[in-house]
Amino acid sequence: MEIPSQFSPVSAAFIPDSRRAWLRLVVAVIIGSLGSVGMWSVVVALPVVQGDFGATRGTASLAFTMVMLGFGLGQVVTGKISDRHGIVAAIGVGIGILGLSYVGAGYAPSVWAFILLHFAIGLSSAATFGPLMAEASHWFDRYRGLAVAIAASGNYIGGTIWPPLVNFGIQTIGWRASHIAIGIFTAIAMALALVVLRRFMGAATRRSHAGAPPPQVDLRLSTNALTVILSLAAIACCVAMSMPQVHIVAYCGDLGYGVARGAEMLSLMLGFGIISRIGSGFLADKIGGIRTLLIGSVAQGAALLFYLFFDSLTSLYIISAMFGLFQGGIVPSYAIIVREAMPAKEAATRIGIVIFASVFGMSFGGWISGVIFDATGSYAAAFANGLAWNLFNVTIMLLLLLRARQHQGSFGRASTAQPETT
């Protein structure tokens, strides 16, 4: 159903894979890059906040846990909002909460207040990831895998840019003033970008899925069963993924290299993750989401193994780059699998559920790694724990690959125009 708007003619027809689709995607990536700040600022601030409040490493790590729990729950909530009211409404709600939460964190009177506010930060960022990937999948047909991966790359572009900026802010004006500045800047910048996105999309409030291609892969599983299996796989891979991403800054500090070196490694890791995500999109369009995810998971396990045996400064830079290059395409592959095997009308909600599981894995992994460190005084056992969870993920994906059965003629895709939608 179309609603007239001053931003877009009612008669405009939207064509998948068109120039307008790519323009939408560019703006979506900008929004995703800005909205992802909550996932990365807490990693950089963790050692400073821990020292300021006199907290343990495990307690301070709960801030990241709350970010990820809020981010995960928000995937489901904003996914439903996006399916019903459109992605613009979902992101608009998140912008206000993000700005207020960061300002509140800057004035937090205790470590527990700081931790709880990070739940709201994570919740507010949710619409800029899973639902945005689902929406991008509707804008493209031939290049759907690539588009989903690019949309997901906003998260890693933010991870490349934000850690050095946050570290600079903390060293210059302190962590409290830095959080207040982040809240004000992101609220203004994201609001401006959202206005541009709405202009490209018009003002339709619901997306019609009548002309969407049917599922391409038959896994001989019900939609609910596949959602549960993908959620278990997402938890497993992200417990493994969280160890370097959450603790690399603190790890470098413990080794005597300084937190600035750790922030650089995190930025390097996520920078190479951008390459991985875009590359995985190309690969998924060729071999499918399941195979792409399996390749990424095996490679991620190999990088974790290297962390166990090498800890010199040079080797950590190299391994961090390898880790980013190997694991960056894993999470977007879940969204691609959902679109390959499930009806389009459920895309945002189903992707939201699976992404919720993945961020639960990230939050649990970030917390348990801190607890393991507190218990052993070393990150070696935490890396080994990540390897075990990674093996579980590989096992699940191998079993799904064995069940996969391509529909005959499923790769023939139409290119007819569809109504302009949000």
Side-chain angles (χ1 to χ4, degrees):
M1 180 177 67
E2 294 294 328
I3 298 177
S5 169
Q6 60 179 330
F7 296 101
S8 177
V10 177
S11 60
F14 176 70
I15 302 175
D17 302 289
S18 64
R19 178 175 177 272
R20 194 170 190 181
W22 288 104
L23 289 173
R24 290 181 180 186
L25 187 59
V26 169
V27 179
V29 170
I30 293 172
I31 292 174
S33 302
L34 293 168
S36 67
V37 60
M39 297 180 64
W40 312 119
S41 68
V42 65
V43 177
V44 178
L46 189 152
V48 178
V49 172
Q50 176 190 353
D52 193 26
F53 287 119
T56 66
R57 181 69 54 81
T59 298
S61 296
L62 284 174
F64 181 83
T65 300
M66 295 305 288
V67 164
M68 299 308 291
L69 287 175
F71 189 73
L73 179 61
Q75 300 300 319
V76 181
V77 174
T78 58
K80 287 186 175 295
I81 293 174
S82 181
D83 280 339
R84 178 169 297 185
H85 302 291
I87 192 66
V88 173
I91 295 175
V93 172
I95 290 174
I97 299 175
L98 184 69
L100 291 174
S101 298
Y102 260 102
V103 172
Y107 288 104
S110 68
V111 67
W112 294 108
F114 182 84
I115 289 169
L116 290 175
L117 280 165
H118 274 73
F119 177 83
I121 289 173
L123 185 70
S124 64
S125 299
T128 66
F129 192 61
L132 201 56
M133 283 194 289
E135 189 66 27
S137 75
H138 303 319
W139 302 339
F140 294 83
D141 191 358
R142 181 179 178 186
Y143 299 108
R144 179 177 296 126
L146 177 60
V148 169
I150 292 175
S153 295
N155 180 270
Y156 272 15
I157 292 173
T160 303
I161 296 172
W162 281 113
L165 290 177
V166 173
N167 182 65
F168 176 79
I170 290 174
Q171 299 300 322
T172 305
I173 60 177
W175 71 266
R176 291 184 180 275
S178 295
H179 279 71
I180 295 171
I182 289 170
I184 295 172
F185 171 76
T186 54
I188 295 174
M190 289 177 69
L192 292 174
L194 187 61
V195 170
V196 176
L197 181 63
R198 187 176 186 273
R199 183 182 182 88
F200 284 136
M201 298 180 72
T205 60
R206 292 180 64 97
R207 164 145 182 102
S208 172
H209 301 284
Q216 299 171 302
V217 179
D218 182 10
L219 293 172
R220 292 169 287 167
L221 294 166
S222 69
T223 302
N224 289 335
L226 181 57
T227 301
V228 171
I229 291 171
L230 289 177
S231 296
L232 290 174
I235 291 171
C237 76
C238 288
V239 170
M241 191 183 299
S242 68
M243 176 55 231
Q245 288 190 358
V246 179
H247 290 275
I248 190 65
V249 176
Y251 184 42
C252 285
D254 293 340
L255 291 174
Y257 301 136
V259 296
R261 303 287 80 77
E264 290 171 358
M265 290 178 197
L266 179 61
S267 180
L268 183 67
M269 184 187 301
L270 299 176
F272 274 87
I274 298 170
I275 299 174
S276 175
R277 288 198 163 173
I278 295 175
S280 71
F282 277 110
L283 189 61
D285 283 331
K286 300 293 184 181
I287 67 174
I290 294 176
R291 290 181 177 85
T292 302
L293 198 155
L294 181 58
I295 291 171
S297 185
V298 171
Q300 174 178 267
L304 284 171
L305 190 62
F306 286 134
Y307 275 116
L308 273 173
F309 294 102
F310 303 97
D311 62 2
S312 69
L313 184 60
T314 301
S315 64
L316 286 176
Y317 273 110
I318 294 173
I319 297 169
S320 294
M322 290 172 55
F323 186 82
L325 189 62
F326 292 162
Q327 58 79 39
I330 293 178
V331 172
S333 294
Y334 289 110
I336 295 169
I337 293 170
V338 168
R339 287 294 282 120
E340 288 176 342
M342 298 185 190
K345 64 182 180 181
E346 302 178 29
T349 301
R350 295 289 178 174
I351 291 173
I353 293 171
V354 176
I355 298 300
F356 170 67
S358 75
V359 296
F360 174 82
M362 286 289 290
S363 61
F364 174 74
W367 171 74
I368 198 64
S369 294
V371 171
I372 291 173
F373 173 86
D374 287 336
T376 64
S378 169
Y379 277 120
F383 280 118
N385 175 66
L387 274 169
W389 283 93
N390 195 83
L391 180 60
F392 182 44
N393 174 264
V394 170
T395 302
I396 292 175
M397 298 318 298
L398 279 172
L399 292 174
L400 283 180
L401 184 60
L402 292 174
R403 294 184 66 91
R405 183 173 59 200
Q406 300 291 337
H407 285 304
Q408 293 295 324
S410 64
F411 294 102
R413 291 176 173 174
S415 60
T416 56
Q418 298 178 18
E420 179 68 271
T421 59
T422 56

Tab-separated table of all heavy atoms in Angstrom, residues 363-396:
chain	number	residue	atom	x	y	z
A	363	SER	N	27.647	-11.799	23.807
A	363	SER	CA	27.597	-11.272	25.167
A	363	SER	C	28.038	-12.312	26.188
A	363	SER	O	28.815	-12.022	27.104
A	363	SER	CB	26.187	-10.778	25.494
A	363	SER	OG	25.248	-11.834	25.419
A	364	PHE	N	27.564	-13.535	26.028
A	364	PHE	CA	27.982	-14.605	26.936
A	364	PHE	C	29.476	-14.872	26.787
A	364	PHE	O	30.192	-15.036	27.790
A	364	PHE	CB	27.191	-15.880	26.638
A	364	PHE	CG	27.668	-17.075	27.427
A	364	PHE	CD1	27.378	-17.192	28.783
A	364	PHE	CD2	28.421	-18.067	26.822
A	364	PHE	CE1	27.833	-18.292	29.518
A	364	PHE	CE2	28.878	-19.164	27.537
A	364	PHE	CZ	28.583	-19.274	28.894
A	365	GLY	N	29.948	-14.904	25.545
A	365	GLY	CA	31.365	-15.153	25.313
A	365	GLY	C	32.241	-14.060	25.891
A	365	GLY	O	33.298	-14.338	26.473
A	366	GLY	N	31.821	-12.791	25.730
A	366	GLY	CA	32.594	-11.696	26.304
A	366	GLY	C	32.665	-11.785	27.810
A	366	GLY	O	33.716	-11.533	28.419
A	367	TRP	N	31.544	-12.158	28.440
A	367	TRP	CA	31.512	-12.269	29.904
A	367	TRP	C	32.310	-13.472	30.397
A	367	TRP	O	33.138	-13.350	31.304
A	367	TRP	CB	30.064	-12.379	30.378
A	367	TRP	CG	29.961	-12.708	31.845
A	367	TRP	CD1	30.200	-11.865	32.900
A	367	TRP	CD2	29.611	-13.964	32.419
A	367	TRP	NE1	30.024	-12.529	34.096
A	367	TRP	CE2	29.653	-13.823	33.828
A	367	TRP	CE3	29.251	-15.202	31.880
A	367	TRP	CZ2	29.358	-14.876	34.698
A	367	TRP	CZ3	28.957	-16.242	32.738
A	367	TRP	CH2	29.010	-16.080	34.131
A	368	ILE	N	32.085	-14.640	29.789
A	368	ILE	CA	32.740	-15.851	30.286
A	368	ILE	C	34.247	-15.783	30.078
A	368	ILE	O	35.020	-16.335	30.871
A	368	ILE	CB	32.148	-17.119	29.616
A	368	ILE	CG1	32.500	-18.368	30.432
A	368	ILE	CG2	32.632	-17.265	28.191
A	368	ILE	CD1	31.911	-18.403	31.812
A	369	SER	N	34.688	-15.094	29.041
A	369	SER	CA	36.133	-14.936	28.838
A	369	SER	C	36.742	-14.110	29.963
A	369	SER	O	37.850	-14.407	30.440
A	369	SER	CB	36.410	-14.265	27.483
A	369	SER	OG	36.015	-15.098	26.418
A	370	GLY	N	36.020	-13.069	30.404
A	370	GLY	CA	36.494	-12.286	31.543
A	370	GLY	C	36.524	-13.094	32.815
A	370	GLY	O	37.460	-12.985	33.623
A	371	VAL	N	35.506	-13.927	33.014
A	371	VAL	CA	35.462	-14.785	34.210
A	371	VAL	C	36.608	-15.794	34.182
A	371	VAL	O	37.265	-16.046	35.206
A	371	VAL	CB	34.097	-15.508	34.297
A	371	VAL	CG1	34.121	-16.567	35.394
A	371	VAL	CG2	32.981	-14.502	34.554
A	372	ILE	N	36.854	-16.392	33.004
A	372	ILE	CA	37.951	-17.359	32.873
A	372	ILE	C	39.289	-16.686	33.158
A	372	ILE	O	40.164	-17.249	33.824
A	372	ILE	CB	37.942	-17.995	31.467
A	372	ILE	CG1	36.714	-18.907	31.310
A	372	ILE	CG2	39.219	-18.802	31.226
A	372	ILE	CD1	36.525	-19.454	29.911
A	373	PHE	N	39.445	-15.446	32.680
A	373	PHE	CA	40.672	-14.712	32.964
A	373	PHE	C	40.828	-14.476	34.465
A	373	PHE	O	41.915	-14.668	35.023
A	373	PHE	CB	40.669	-13.372	32.224
A	373	PHE	CG	41.818	-12.474	32.589
A	373	PHE	CD1	43.037	-12.602	31.940
A	373	PHE	CD2	41.687	-11.514	33.579
A	373	PHE	CE1	44.115	-11.784	32.281
A	373	PHE	CE2	42.749	-10.700	33.929
A	373	PHE	CZ	43.968	-10.830	33.274
A	374	ASP	N	39.751	-14.054	35.127
A	374	ASP	CA	39.824	-13.813	36.568
A	374	ASP	C	40.188	-15.086	37.329
A	374	ASP	O	40.902	-15.045	38.340
A	374	ASP	CB	38.485	-13.275	37.088
A	374	ASP	CG	38.235	-11.822	36.660
A	374	ASP	OD1	39.218	-11.121	36.384
A	374	ASP	OD2	37.058	-11.424	36.598
A	375	ALA	N	39.705	-16.234	36.843
A	375	ALA	CA	39.951	-17.503	37.543
A	375	ALA	C	41.347	-18.052	37.286
A	375	ALA	O	41.936	-18.704	38.159
A	375	ALA	CB	38.902	-18.536	37.120
A	376	THR	N	41.902	-17.813	36.085
A	376	THR	CA	43.181	-18.422	35.715
A	376	THR	C	44.332	-17.431	35.622
A	376	THR	O	45.498	-17.841	35.611
A	376	THR	CB	43.059	-19.137	34.353
A	376	THR	OG1	42.775	-18.165	33.333
A	376	THR	CG2	41.935	-20.171	34.388
A	377	GLY	N	44.023	-16.134	35.532
A	377	GLY	CA	45.068	-15.140	35.376
A	377	GLY	C	45.674	-15.125	33.988
A	377	GLY	O	46.720	-14.509	33.762
A	378	SER	N	45.023	-15.789	33.029
A	378	SER	CA	45.536	-15.888	31.667
A	378	SER	C	44.370	-16.022	30.697
A	378	SER	O	43.301	-16.516	31.049
A	378	SER	CB	46.461	-17.100	31.537
A	378	SER	OG	46.762	-17.361	30.180
A	379	TYR	N	44.611	-15.601	29.450
A	379	TYR	CA	43.585	-15.735	28.416
A	379	TYR	C	43.710	-17.034	27.623
A	379	TYR	O	42.908	-17.290	26.725
A	379	TYR	CB	43.657	-14.550	27.442
A	379	TYR	CG	42.915	-13.317	27.934
A	379	TYR	CD1	43.580	-12.116	28.126
A	379	TYR	CD2	41.546	-13.360	28.190
A	379	TYR	CE1	42.906	-10.978	28.560
A	379	TYR	CE2	40.866	-12.245	28.633
A	379	TYR	CZ	41.549	-11.044	28.812
A	379	TYR	OH	40.872	-9.931	29.244
A	380	ALA	N	44.700	-17.866	27.936
A	380	ALA	CA	44.898	-19.112	27.188
A	380	ALA	C	43.669	-20.011	27.267
A	380	ALA	O	43.196	-20.544	26.252
A	380	ALA	CB	46.129	-19.850	27.706
A	381	ALA	N	43.131	-20.191	28.467
A	381	ALA	CA	41.951	-21.043	28.643
A	381	ALA	C	40.738	-20.437	27.939
A	381	ALA	O	39.873	-21.159	27.437
A	381	ALA	CB	41.666	-21.257	30.121
A	382	ALA	N	40.669	-19.105	27.877
A	382	ALA	CA	39.546	-18.438	27.202
A	382	ALA	C	39.602	-18.690	25.694
A	382	ALA	O	38.570	-18.913	25.050
A	382	ALA	CB	39.574	-16.939	27.500
A	383	PHE	N	40.798	-18.665	25.120
A	383	PHE	CA	40.937	-18.983	23.700
A	383	PHE	C	40.557	-20.437	23.437
A	383	PHE	O	39.911	-20.752	22.428
A	383	PHE	CB	42.365	-18.725	23.229
A	383	PHE	CG	42.662	-17.274	22.944
A	383	PHE	CD1	43.632	-16.591	23.662
A	383	PHE	CD2	41.968	-16.590	21.953
A	383	PHE	CE1	43.903	-15.253	23.409
A	383	PHE	CE2	42.238	-15.252	21.683
A	383	PHE	CZ	43.203	-14.578	22.422
A	384	ALA	N	40.946	-21.346	24.319
A	384	ALA	CA	40.595	-22.761	24.162
A	384	ALA	C	39.080	-22.953	24.245
A	384	ALA	O	38.493	-23.757	23.506
A	384	ALA	CB	41.292	-23.594	25.230
A	385	ASN	N	38.428	-22.208	25.133
A	385	ASN	CA	36.974	-22.268	25.245
A	385	ASN	C	36.317	-21.828	23.935
A	385	ASN	O	35.356	-22.451	23.466
A	385	ASN	CB	36.513	-21.363	26.395
A	385	ASN	CG	35.012	-21.276	26.515
A	385	ASN	OD1	34.333	-22.253	26.826
A	385	ASN	ND2	34.475	-20.079	26.272
A	386	GLY	N	36.854	-20.770	23.325
A	386	GLY	CA	36.333	-20.307	22.050
A	386	GLY	C	36.482	-21.346	20.956
A	386	GLY	O	35.579	-21.530	20.131
A	387	LEU	N	37.594	-22.063	20.943
A	387	LEU	CA	37.813	-23.112	19.949
A	387	LEU	C	36.772	-24.222	20.058
A	387	LEU	O	36.287	-24.741	19.052
A	387	LEU	CB	39.216	-23.695	20.101
A	387	LEU	CG	40.341	-22.964	19.374
A	387	LEU	CD1	41.699	-23.489	19.823
A	387	LEU	CD2	40.187	-23.124	17.865
A	388	ALA	N	36.426	-24.599	21.290
A	388	ALA	CA	35.434	-25.659	21.487
A	388	ALA	C	34.067	-25.247	20.939
A	388	ALA	O	33.386	-26.039	20.267
A	388	ALA	CB	35.336	-25.999	22.975
A	389	TRP	N	33.655	-24.025	21.202
A	389	TRP	CA	32.378	-23.534	20.691
A	389	TRP	C	32.409	-23.437	19.164
A	389	TRP	O	31.406	-23.716	18.488
A	389	TRP	CB	32.053	-22.168	21.298
A	389	TRP	CG	31.561	-22.240	22.703
A	389	TRP	CD1	32.308	-22.150	23.852
A	389	TRP	CD2	30.210	-22.435	23.135
A	389	TRP	NE1	31.513	-22.275	24.953
A	389	TRP	CE2	30.213	-22.440	24.551
A	389	TRP	CE3	29.002	-22.596	22.466
A	389	TRP	CZ2	29.052	-22.610	25.306
A	389	TRP	CZ3	27.837	-22.758	23.208
A	389	TRP	CH2	27.867	-22.762	24.615
A	390	ASN	N	33.547	-23.043	18.609
A	390	ASN	CA	33.671	-22.939	17.155
A	390	ASN	C	33.495	-24.303	16.491
A	390	ASN	O	32.868	-24.419	15.434
A	390	ASN	CB	35.035	-22.351	16.798
A	390	ASN	CG	35.100	-21.867	15.364
A	390	ASN	OD1	34.676	-20.757	15.050
A	390	ASN	ND2	35.624	-22.698	14.478
A	391	LEU	N	34.026	-25.357	17.114
A	391	LEU	CA	33.879	-26.709	16.583
A	391	LEU	C	32.410	-27.131	16.556
A	391	LEU	O	31.956	-27.800	15.620
A	391	LEU	CB	34.693	-27.693	17.428
A	391	LEU	CG	34.644	-29.167	16.993
A	391	LEU	CD1	35.164	-29.326	15.571
A	391	LEU	CD2	35.450	-30.025	17.970
A	392	PHE	N	31.640	-26.723	17.572
A	392	PHE	CA	30.211	-27.015	17.615
A	392	PHE	C	29.496	-26.370	16.433
A	392	PHE	O	28.630	-26.971	15.780
A	392	PHE	CB	29.639	-26.530	18.942
A	392	PHE	CG	28.173	-26.803	19.136
A	392	PHE	CD1	27.616	-28.032	18.804
A	392	PHE	CD2	27.337	-25.828	19.650
A	392	PHE	CE1	26.270	-28.289	18.989
A	392	PHE	CE2	25.982	-26.062	19.839
A	392	PHE	CZ	25.446	-27.298	19.500
A	393	ASN	N	29.863	-25.125	16.113
A	393	ASN	CA	29.267	-24.430	14.980
A	393	ASN	C	29.580	-25.141	13.664
A	393	ASN	O	28.696	-25.324	12.817
A	393	ASN	CB	29.776	-22.987	14.921
A	393	ASN	CG	29.314	-22.251	13.685
A	393	ASN	OD1	30.023	-22.183	12.691
A	393	ASN	ND2	28.111	-21.700	13.734
A	394	VAL	N	30.831	-25.538	13.490
A	394	VAL	CA	31.230	-26.243	12.270
A	394	VAL	C	30.417	-27.526	12.103
A	394	VAL	O	29.965	-27.867	11.006
A	394	VAL	CB	32.738	-26.564	12.295
A	394	VAL	CG1	33.115	-27.513	11.158
A	394	VAL	CG2	33.555	-25.275	12.193
A	395	THR	N	30.198	-28.240	13.198
A	395	THR	CA	29.427	-29.488	13.155
A	395	THR	C	27.992	-29.244	12.686
A	395	THR	O	27.470	-29.975	11.830
A	395	THR	CB	29.412	-30.157	14.540
A	395	THR	OG1	30.755	-30.410	14.958
A	395	THR	CG2	28.637	-31.468	14.502
A	396	ILE	N	27.357	-28.209	13.223
A	396	ILE	CA	25.977	-27.889	12.827
A	396	ILE	C	25.902	-27.545	11.345
A	396	ILE	O	25.022	-28.033	10.619
A	396	ILE	CB	25.429	-26.724	13.672
A	396	ILE	CG1	25.248	-27.154	15.128
A	396	ILE	CG2	24.083	-26.235	13.104
A	396	ILE	CD1	24.824	-26.029	16.050
